[in-house]
Amino acid sequence: MTVVWVIWAAVALDLLIGDPRWLPHPVIGMGKVIRRVEGWIRQRTTSAQGLKRAGILLPVIVAGGSFVLTWLLLELCAAIHPWLAWGAEIVLIATTIAIKGLREAGLEVYGHLRSGNIAEARQALSMVVGRDTAHLDEPEIVRGTVETVAENIVDAVIAPLFFALIGGAPLAMAYRAVNTLDSMVGYKNEKYLHVGWASARLDDLANWIPARLTAGLLTIAAAMFSLRWKQAIKMVRRDARKHPSPNSGFPESAVAGALGIRLGGENSYQGVISFRAYMGDPDRPLEAEDIRVTNRLLVGVSVLFTMLGTAVLGLAAAAGGSLWI
């Protein structure tokens, strides 16, 4: 049952300390490798077809390398002492999830809104979204924050835990590499359309199951917190596939339904207006309290998934199945 305790310890560690700035984070190293590989590719080809073919190297090198390096590190630790390997596994898995960081990002915006400091709320939101925030009013600040927290429940919590349950820290770290690739090169613009296509598609594939699991868990959490769980189910069925992402619409529509609010609408990116499909019905105006409630759903879903996932692992172990440690 060591695996079960490793997963729980990793979640507890993230909830306790999050990602302190003084501690080197693997994502920083991944980002440096991505930039170097991208630069190497662009030095050797400039054609659309050449960039598309070479773009496959990015996930192979970065995600594959992250898996191999993590596995080798754990093997080295295990050769020294099993407890060292367990400790390393806990720390490494904890770096792939961000429950505390995501929650605190939402609460920072919430705190500024509660104190009436709109300028500081806009600034806090600008640190976690790509849209322009300088002229947003309070409802739009709330919308941006709720959308960000809801969407990131998948790639900052459920997906890395999902892969950790399947393949331990090596697979969780490979997922984090895929997600980092998508955030850096997975854009459908002139610069990254070709070189980043493989990274973007792999991220969509990796998040496909976790996104749908998240929508289901959000419905359960909504029922636990006496929110509109039936409406959450209805909005997922009606609106989830309207989102331009094949995955982001599932958590966003579930949260919109559970809170009885409407997400989506017009966003500005460097002055360019973009319309995002509506999620949910505008049964009431958006308010700062929606951020706090969304954070409750974030923590609730994180605990629910950890409970269910480790329960499945425990049953597999009891049935004689093999575990990854």
Side-chain angles (χ1 to χ4, degrees):
M1 298 301 290
T2 304
V3 175
V4 172
W5 293 112
V6 165
I7 296 293
W8 274 107
V11 171
L13 182 63
D14 176 71
L15 285 170
L16 184 64
I17 68 171
D19 294 317
R21 294 183 180 180
W22 55 266
L23 188 66
H25 199 283
V27 168
I28 296 175
M30 293 174 187
K32 292 179 179 179
V33 173
I34 291 167
R35 285 293 175 238
R36 289 188 178 183
V37 176
E38 180 193 353
W40 181 86
I41 290 172
R42 293 187 184 278
Q43 288 174 359
R44 283 155 179 78
T45 182
T46 57
S47 69
Q49 285 301 317
L51 288 172
K52 288 192 75 170
R53 288 193 295 267
I56 299 173
L57 289 174
L58 279 166
V60 170
I61 293 173
V62 182
S66 296
F67 181 94
V68 172
L69 287 175
T70 304
W71 180 81
L72 288 173
L73 175 61
L74 293 176
E75 287 295 304
L76 177 61
C77 291
I80 298 171
H81 198 284
W83 284 12
L84 181 60
W86 298 333
E89 190 106 39
I90 290 168
V91 172
L92 289 168
I93 293 174
T95 65
T96 67
I97 57 180
I99 307 169
K100 181 180 174 67
L102 187 56
R103 179 175 178 273
E104 289 182 344
L107 287 179
E108 183 178 359
V109 178
Y110 172 75
H112 291 312
L113 290 176
R114 291 284 296 190
S115 63
N117 197 331
I118 296 294
E120 290 296 329
R122 291 168 178 159
Q123 177 61 28
L125 178 60
S126 72
M127 302 301 293
V128 293
V129 299
R131 71 190 68 175
D132 301 331
T133 64
H135 303 292
L136 297 183
D137 59 13
E138 180 168 331
E140 284 298 293
I141 293 171
V142 171
R143 178 171 74 87
T145 307
V146 170
E147 288 174 352
T148 297
V149 173
E151 178 181 356
N152 281 285
I153 292 174
V154 178
D155 55 16
V157 184
I158 302 304
L161 282 175
F162 175 79
F163 288 105
L165 287 163
I166 295 172
L171 197 57
M173 200 64 71
Y175 168 77
R176 179 52 59 210
V178 169
N179 190 245
T180 304
L181 278 163
D182 182 63
S183 68
M184 293 181 67
V185 303
Y187 300 103
K188 294 180 179 179
N189 56 28
E190 184 178 352
K191 182 177 181 180
Y192 292 113
L193 179 62
H194 302 298
V195 76
W197 75 273
S199 299
R201 297 293 78 75
L202 185 57
D203 184 72
D204 288 343
L205 180 62
N207 283 315
W208 199 90
I209 293 176
R212 287 146 183 82
L213 287 173
T214 301
L217 291 168
L218 280 167
T219 300
I220 297 172
M224 291 170 52
F225 296 140
S226 300
L227 299 174
R228 302 182 181 188
W229 63 273
K230 292 182 180 179
Q231 186 76 349
I233 295 174
K234 178 181 177 181
M235 293 303 105
V236 170
R237 289 175 174 172
R238 192 190 76 183
D239 295 338
R241 291 173 178 82
K242 297 177 182 177
H243 200 285
S245 163
N247 300 311
S248 297
F250 285 86
E252 287 190 26
S253 59
V255 169
L259 273 60
I261 58 175
R262 186 174 72 181
L263 301 176
E266 288 188 351
N267 298 324
S268 173
Y269 298 92
Q270 297 181 345
V272 179
I273 301 298
S274 174
F275 180 79
R276 182 71 58 83
Y278 289 125
M279 303 276 144
D281 292 328
D283 295 335
R284 60 174 181 78
L286 287 152
E287 55 188 29
E289 188 65 16
D290 293 323
I291 299 173
R292 193 181 68 83
V293 176
T294 304
N295 271 344
R296 289 177 63 198
L297 289 170
L298 158 68
V299 176
V301 165
S302 302
V303 173
L304 274 172
F305 183 76
T306 306
M307 290 175 60
L308 293 172
T310 52
V312 171
L313 279 181
L315 290 173
S322 61
L323 299 179
W324 44 255
I325 197 169

